[in-house]
Amino acid sequence: MSVGYMEKLIVEGGVKLEGQVNISGFKNAAVAIIPASILSAGKCYIENIPHIRDVYLFKDIMQELGVDVELDENGTMMIDSSKLDKCCATYDLANKMRASYYLIGAGLGRFKEVEVAYPGGCNIGTRPIDQHIKGFEALGAKVEIEHGVIRCRAEKLVGAKIYLDVVSVGATINIMLAAVLAEGTTIIENAAKEPHVVDVANFLNMMGADVRGAGTDIIKIKGVDKLHGCTYSVIPDQIEAGTYMIAAAATGGDVLINNVIPKHLESITAKLKEMGVEVIEYGDSIRVKALDNLKSVDIKTLPYPGFPTDLQQPMTVLLSTADGTSVVTESIFEGRFKYVDELKRMGANIKVEGRVAVVEGVKRLSGARISVTDLRAGAAFIIAGLIAEGTTEIENIYHIDRGYEKVEEKFRKLGAKIKRIRD
Ligand code: UD1
C-alpha cells in the first residue's frame, strides 16, 4: 500500500449503492491475535487477516522484535516466534498504533518481563490504560512507566480475581493474554463482551489455553504450562459491515453484505429498522434496502451488545439528512465528535454539547474539501461524500487505510464514483 498522506479520495455524490460487498476479517481482532501469537513458540497460521495499514504496521513491529512473519495475498499470516527471547518494542513502532499495548500482556505472559513504549492511536479522547495496569499488578507484576516506556516484570504470575471499573475491551483482552500462562485461575469481572474478546479467547484456546466465559461479563482463565502453534481464522469485521449497511441506507440503495455474523450487527439492524430501512438477515449475509424518507432516531453508544462507538460517526452522517431531530450520545470516548466541524462545512446542522450531539436533519449535504480526523470519521466522510451534492475531496486518508481493506474498490463495485488521487 502506498503512503496515504500524499493521497486523497474524490467522491461524487448522488449514486444509490447497489450490488454485493464482501466483508474482510475484523481489524480489531487481528491486531490482538497477531501479538497474542507470541505466547506460544510454535508456528501460528492466522487466516482472514485484512490487508490494511494497521496489520502492516503490526507485521513491522513483530519483525522488529525478532519474530518471523509472512502475510500472503489471501490474508493468511504465518507467525513464528520460536527465536524470540524477549519482548521490547520501541517508541517509533509502538507509538504508531494503540493495539501495540497487547504486546504487554502477551510479552509478560511468555517472558514474565516486557518493555513497550506507551501506545499511540486515534485521537478520540484521553484513553487511559489504568485498568490494564491494575490487572497486570493483580497477577503479580511490577509496572513502571518511565520516559514514555511501560516496563512490567514478575518473578511469577499468579491467577487473581480482577474487577474492571470500566468495561474495557483492551484491558479485558490484555489481562487474558497475561493470565493464560499464569499459575492458578484468573477471574475477570465486568469484562467486555465484544465479538473480538470472544475471538481472541477462541484463538487462545486453539493454542491450548483454558479460557471460559468470553462473551459474558465473567471470564475464567485457568493457567496452563505451555501453549502450542495452531491455525485460526479471524471473524468478519463487524464495524466494516456496519459501515456498508449505513452507506447502503444513506444512499437509498439496496446492498447485500456478505461474510458477516448477523448477530454481531443487531444493534445496527435495530436502529436502521427504526429509521424505516428494510434489513433482511440471512445465515452469513445481510441485505439493506432503503425505502422512503428515513426517520430520525436517538443513538447512545455503549459497550457490546449496545450500539458501537466505532459506528457513531457513520450513523451521525446518516442522521444528518433524516427527517427530524436525532440525539446522539457518545458514552465511550469523550473526544469522538471532533469530526462534526467538517460535516458542518458540508451543510450538516449539528450542535455538540459535551458528549451529546443534536442532529437536525437537512435536505441534503453539499460536497466540500474535508480532512479526516480519525479512522472511523474517515469512513463516515466517504458516506457523507456519497450522499452530498457535487464533489467531496477527502484529505488525510491514511486514517482510512489503517482499517478499511480495498475501500474504494469495494465502494466502486457498488456503483460509487470514488477515486484515489495523488496530491
Ligand atoms: C477498542 C477498539 C476501538 C473501540 C473501543 C470501544 C481495538 C483495537 N480498538 O479500543 O475500536 O472504539 O474498543 O469499543 O479493539 N478505559 C479506561 N481505562 C482503561 C481502559 C479503558 O478508563 O484502562 C476507558 C476508555 O477511556 C473508554 C472506555 O474505557 O472510555 C472503553 O475503552 P476500551 O474498551 O478499552 O477501548 P480500546 O480497547 O482502546
Side-chain angles (χ1 to χ4, degrees):
M1 193 183 294
S2 47
V3 181
Y5 67 85
M6 302 277 291
E7 299 175 348
K8 284 183 191 176
L9 286 177
I10 309 290
V11 186
E12 299 291 339
V15 177
K16 290 183 180 196
L17 297 185
E18 271 166 8
Q20 301 193 23
V21 61
N22 294 327
I23 296 307
S24 302
F26 197 176
K27 167 186 106 66
N28 286 352
V31 297
I33 288 173
I34 294 168
S37 69
I38 69 165
L39 281 160
S40 149
K43 265 190 197 171
C44 292
Y45 292 89
I46 305 161
E47 301 165 351
N48 207 27
I49 294 274
H51 279 270
I52 51 173
R53 209 166 148 257
D54 270 8
V55 161
Y56 297 149
L57 260 176
F58 230 123
K59 184 167 167 263
D60 289 350
I61 296 178
M62 301 281 281
Q63 284 170 335
E64 188 93 343
L65 286 173
V67 179
D68 280 342
V69 188
E70 281 160 31
L71 175 62
D72 72 16
E73 290 266 298
N74 301 323
T76 299
M77 184 179 266
M78 186 286 298
I79 305 178
D80 177 354
S81 64
S82 56
K83 289 189 218 112
L84 196 68
D85 55 9
K86 65 175 194 297
C87 182
C88 187
T90 61
Y91 174 86
D92 285 345
L93 287 171
N95 187 50
K96 292 202 176 105
M97 66 183 298
R98 181 118 189 114
S100 59
Y101 58 36
Y102 290 133
L103 286 169
I104 309 175
L108 183 64
R110 170 135 169 222
F111 302 110
K112 312 291 175 263
E113 186 169 357
V114 66
E115 246 184 63
V116 175
Y118 207 90
C122 274
N123 180 15
I124 52 177
T126 49
R127 308 191 81 175
I129 55 166
D130 56 304
Q131 299 302 306
H132 304 231
I133 293 172
K134 176 173 120 171
F136 301 144
E137 285 176 341
L139 296 172
K142 189 163 181 272
V143 182
E144 291 168 337
I145 303 176
E146 249 178 20
H147 309 296
V149 174
I150 304 171
R151 201 171 290 120
C152 300
R153 234 170 290 156
E155 283 291 311
K156 59 176 184 176
L157 295 169
V158 180
K161 197 171 192 178
I162 299 155
Y163 179 88
L164 297 179
D165 302 329
V166 289
V167 179
S168 159
V169 176
T172 303
I173 293 178
N174 231 342
I175 296 167
M176 282 198 311
L177 301 185
V180 283
L181 292 172
E183 281 175 24
T185 302
T186 299
I187 296 173
I188 309 175
E189 293 185 331
N190 199 25
K193 298 186 282 230
E194 265 68 2
H196 48 309
V197 172
V198 180
D199 208 31
V200 175
N202 287 341
F203 169 69
L204 293 171
N205 287 342
M206 199 70 106
M207 288 202 295
D210 186 349
V211 182
R212 294 175 198 199
T216 74
D217 45 22
I218 299 183
I219 300 180
K220 255 190 203 165
I221 305 139
K222 265 195 200 150
V224 296
D225 291 339
K226 216 173 155 208
L227 298 178
H228 50 73
C230 71
T231 299
Y232 190 77
S233 186
V234 174
I235 51 167
D237 194 321
Q238 166 209 16
I239 305 302
E240 190 198 20
T243 304
Y244 286 99
M245 288 173 76
I246 293 169
T251 59
D254 182 355
V255 176
L256 183 67
I257 299 152
N258 296 318
N259 187 32
V260 299
I261 299 173
K263 174 137 193 60
H264 293 170
L265 299 163
E266 274 172 355
S267 60
I268 301 107
T269 299
K271 279 296 159 187
L272 291 181
K273 283 184 173 170
E274 207 181 314
M275 292 182 75
V277 178
E278 195 177 325
V279 183
I280 307 156
E281 291 178 10
Y282 303 98
D284 62 356
S285 58
I286 211 160
R287 181 174 169 192
V288 177
K289 194 173 163 199
L291 306 167
D292 302 324
N293 281 0
L294 299 183
K295 294 194 280 281
S296 56
V297 292
D298 293 343
I299 303 283
K300 183 171 186 183
T301 64
L302 287 169
Y304 187 82
F307 194 91
T309 169
D310 285 356
L311 288 173
Q312 181 258 104
Q313 294 137 312
M315 197 67 191
T316 301
V317 170
L318 173 62
L319 295 173
S320 72
T321 58
D323 278 345
T325 306
S326 308
V327 177
V328 179
T329 308
E330 172 56 63
S331 61
I332 313 286
F333 294 115
E334 73 280 7
R336 219 165 200 182
F337 282 127
K338 289 192 183 125
Y339 68 102
V340 164
D341 284 341
E342 296 294 290
L343 280 188
K344 283 187 187 162
R345 301 177 55 236
M346 297 180 75
N349 184 355
I350 305 174
K351 281 194 196 78
V352 176
E353 206 48 84
R355 286 177 178 263
V356 176
V358 179
V359 186
E360 294 282 350
V362 294
K363 275 233 143 38
R364 62 182 68 83
L365 301 181
S366 60
R369 201 166 144 179
I370 52 176
S371 177
V372 178
T373 48
D374 66 80
L375 168 65
R376 304 302 176 187
F381 289 172
I382 294 178
I383 299 173
L386 290 173
I387 61 174
E389 215 169 47
T391 306
T392 297
E393 262 185 50
I394 309 176
E395 294 175 349
N396 242 345
I397 58 168
Y398 70 90
H399 288 293
I400 301 176
D401 293 335
R402 277 188 46 212
Y404 293 87
E405 187 170 48
K406 297 189 180 141
V407 70
E408 67 267 33
E409 202 177 296
K410 288 189 185 186
F411 272 113
R412 252 199 315 262
K413 232 187 111 207
L414 295 173
K417 290 185 186 150
I418 176 168
K419 64 179 180 204
R420 183 181 289 252
I421 58 160
R422 287 209 134 230
D423 209 357

